[in-house]
Amino acid sequence: MLPRQTRAMTKLRELALRNSSTNSIVGNQLKHRHGFHIIRQTCTEFPRKLKKTERKPWVTNINELKRIGRAERKERQIVRERILQPPQNGLLVKELIPVAHQVNADRIQLFTCVSKVAQSIAIYSCSVCGEVHIGHRPHKIRTCNVMGSAASKEHCWRRGAVEHVLPLVESFHLYDRLGRAVSHNERLQVDRIPAILELCVQAGIDLPEYPTRRRVFPAYSISGRVIDFEKRFPKEDAPGKDIYACGFWQKRNNISDDNKSVDMQPCDLQGTAVRGMEAWERMRSGASRLMETYAVQTCGYCSEVQVGPKGHRVRNCQAYKHQMRDGQHAWQEATIDDVVPPVYVWHVRDTQSEKPLVNGLKKYYGMLPAVVELFAQAGASVPNDYVVMMREDVAVPEWDEETLVV
């Protein structure tokens, strides 16, 4: 008797589920016939802005890092020599030297293209929160929610520049990447250069103004300590040559001076944007490939970056709980977004329209990195990685139709 009742209840449940699914399909068809807009959730969400109390996500799982740390402590207890592989032994990875030269060339070309396109397309920056907008009419989206902003959370727009689209992330230049870390007392004696340039220098680029030590013989590890059998300063390496001792605030050349060496032929705006978009993609992909081999460290709470196997010891962190760390940074493995940060802006579909983006319809708008948005408005095609973020498949209703959207 009991099994027969169980089979009957199962059949009734399947029938009810079938009817409910049929009703939902019919209801959706009716909504389409009556002109209602139905929005499907996309699988790719916008990058979430971290809170001040949140730490950056770990690239490697924390449990895996603990396991590696325990294994290294056991290895130090055994007194024996361990052969290191490049670049841990101080030698260069020969396969990545052309990649470093290509990344540096793409960096210079990208800056030149952005400078040329920015002369025709307006760049706006909020003077309170620093948000960036690309296009002639700044948007009216009320997202200015920082200390000192207005009660209406509206932005105070002003004309921006190239540094708002391509923010400069600097790192201490290391003469010896296997040497000791930069101390707090040496913070004004060591040059600071762009992190992407320091990554290329450590990967094989030789710049006279930023000398670096190139080893001929590899270093070894004995009980966890790196032992260098090479002379500290070889005869062919003059440590005082080409070193500018006045500090990084009086550099002989900066990033804008380096870009003057690129001789771009005069062409239309769209051609410059296409070349800039290609340089942006090649630079990020090449830098990601270099970071797989050459370690880069970043602070888990602020934007500080140090290229090298370990972070520096300068106590200038002012982020969350910096008092507990005595101002030192909470170093962790960096990502490509830490070295080349993409500044996300609202995507403008119709560049010819004089209507700005409004706050009530912001859930229908897409977002893009500022560099990609700048080149897209100049006529370049957007890469496939950013197509979902543009939300081109979502129809933006008019202001009086927004109440009919389901």
Side-chain angles (χ1 to χ4, degrees), residues 12-31:
L12 289 176
R13 183 175 180 274
E14 293 178 355
L15 183 60
L17 291 175
R18 193 180 307 166
N19 292 336
S20 62
S21 61
T22 305
N23 293 334
S24 61
I25 295 174
V26 173
N28 291 339
Q29 293 177 354
L30 290 176
K31 289 179 181 179

Side-chain angles (χ1 to χ4, degrees), residues 202-382:
Q202 293 189 13
I205 289 183
D206 294 326
L207 298 178
E209 58 271 18
Y210 301 116
T212 183
R213 184 180 181 183
R214 302 299 185 191
R215 283 179 169 81
V216 181
F217 301 99
Y220 297 89
S221 176
I222 300 178
S223 299
R225 299 184 60 181
V226 178
I227 306 298
D228 191 3
F229 296 99
E230 194 177 81
K231 291 182 179 181
R232 183 63 178 175
F233 296 105
K235 292 182 179 180
E236 64 272 8
D237 185 9
K241 183 180 179 181
D242 295 329
I243 295 181
Y244 197 54
C246 294
F248 59 85
W249 58 88
Q250 294 182 359
K251 293 180 182 178
R252 287 174 294 178
N253 58 342
N254 50 21
I255 187 173
S256 60
D257 296 335
D258 293 340
N259 299 323
K260 293 180 181 179
S261 60
V262 178
D263 186 14
M264 296 188 63
Q265 299 179 358
C267 61
D268 57 344
L269 185 64
Q270 184 177 2
T272 304
V274 170
R275 285 196 299 271
M277 188 76 76
E278 295 175 354
W280 166 261
E281 289 296 312
R282 288 196 306 266
M283 185 188 69
R284 285 181 61 90
S285 61
S288 301
R289 185 179 175 185
L290 293 178
M291 291 175 64
E292 293 177 358
T293 305
Y294 292 89
V296 181
Q297 311 297 326
T298 183
C299 180
Y301 295 99
C302 69
S303 60
E304 184 71 14
V305 171
Q306 178 59 48
V307 181
K310 52 189 174 183
H312 59 74
R313 300 177 182 175
V314 180
R315 300 188 298 270
N316 58 356
C317 183
Q318 300 180 0
Y320 179 65
K321 288 186 178 181
H322 64 91
Q323 301 90 346
M324 301 179 62
R325 304 187 301 270
D326 194 18
Q328 295 187 1
H329 297 277
W331 296 111
Q332 66 182 48
E333 185 180 355
T335 61
I336 183 61
D337 290 341
D338 298 319
V339 179
V340 187
V343 182
Y344 287 95
V345 298
W346 295 101
H347 173 55
V348 180
R349 299 186 184 182
D350 188 6
T351 57
Q352 304 297 330
S353 177
E354 297 184 357
K355 296 181 180 180
L357 305 181
V358 295
N359 184 70
L361 302 177
K362 65 180 181 180
K363 61 183 178 181
Y364 304 101
Y365 302 141
M367 298 188 75
L368 283 177
V371 178
V372 180
E373 177 67 18
L374 181 67
F375 291 147
Q377 292 190 16
S381 58
V382 180

Side-chain angles (χ1 to χ4, degrees), residues 75-278:
E75 185 71 20
R76 295 192 196 102
Q77 296 176 0
I78 304 175
V79 182
R80 65 179 179 182
E81 179 182 339
R82 186 165 62 93
I83 300 177
L84 301 177
Q85 300 297 327
Q88 284 79 15
N89 58 2
L91 302 181
L92 295 176
V93 182
K94 296 182 180 180
E95 294 80 8
L96 295 180
I97 295 178
V99 179
H101 285 271
Q102 184 63 37
V103 169
N104 186 41
D106 293 334
R107 179 188 68 88
I108 299 175
Q109 184 179 11
L110 175 64
F111 189 89
T112 305
C113 294
V114 170
S115 303
K116 288 182 175 293
V117 176
Q119 298 176 0
S120 302
I121 299 178
I123 301 175
Y124 292 93
S125 174
C126 180
S127 59
V128 180
C129 66
E131 184 169 338
V132 181
H133 179 77
I134 306 298
H136 177 60
R137 296 293 300 273
H139 65 76
K140 301 296 183 181
I141 302 176
R142 297 190 292 268
T143 54
C144 189
N145 190 15
V146 297
M147 184 179 299
S149 60
S152 60
K153 298 182 181 180
E154 294 184 356
H155 296 279
C156 299
W157 296 110
R158 62 178 181 182
R159 273 306 184 104
V162 180
E163 57 267 16
H164 295 100
V165 178
L166 290 175
L168 182 62
V169 178
E170 292 185 338
S171 171
F172 284 106
H173 172 60
L174 302 180
Y175 173 76
D176 186 5
R177 67 184 309 271
L178 296 184
R180 61 181 180 84
V182 179
S183 63
H184 183 74
N185 296 331
E186 297 173 344
R187 65 187 184 279
L188 300 179
Q189 302 174 6
V190 183
D191 288 337
R192 287 179 66 87
I193 63 176
I196 186 70
L197 180 59
E198 175 65 16
L199 180 63
C200 296
V201 169
Q202 293 189 13
I205 289 183
D206 294 326
L207 298 178
E209 58 271 18
Y210 301 116
T212 183
R213 184 180 181 183
R214 302 299 185 191
R215 283 179 169 81
V216 181
F217 301 99
Y220 297 89
S221 176
I222 300 178
S223 299
R225 299 184 60 181
V226 178
I227 306 298
D228 191 3
F229 296 99
E230 194 177 81
K231 291 182 179 181
R232 183 63 178 175
F233 296 105
K235 292 182 179 180
E236 64 272 8
D237 185 9
K241 183 180 179 181
D242 295 329
I243 295 181
Y244 197 54
C246 294
F248 59 85
W249 58 88
Q250 294 182 359
K251 293 180 182 178
R252 287 174 294 178
N253 58 342
N254 50 21
I255 187 173
S256 60
D257 296 335
D258 293 340
N259 299 323
K260 293 180 181 179
S261 60
V262 178
D263 186 14
M264 296 188 63
Q265 299 179 358
C267 61
D268 57 344
L269 185 64
Q270 184 177 2
T272 304
V274 170
R275 285 196 299 271
M277 188 76 76
E278 295 175 354

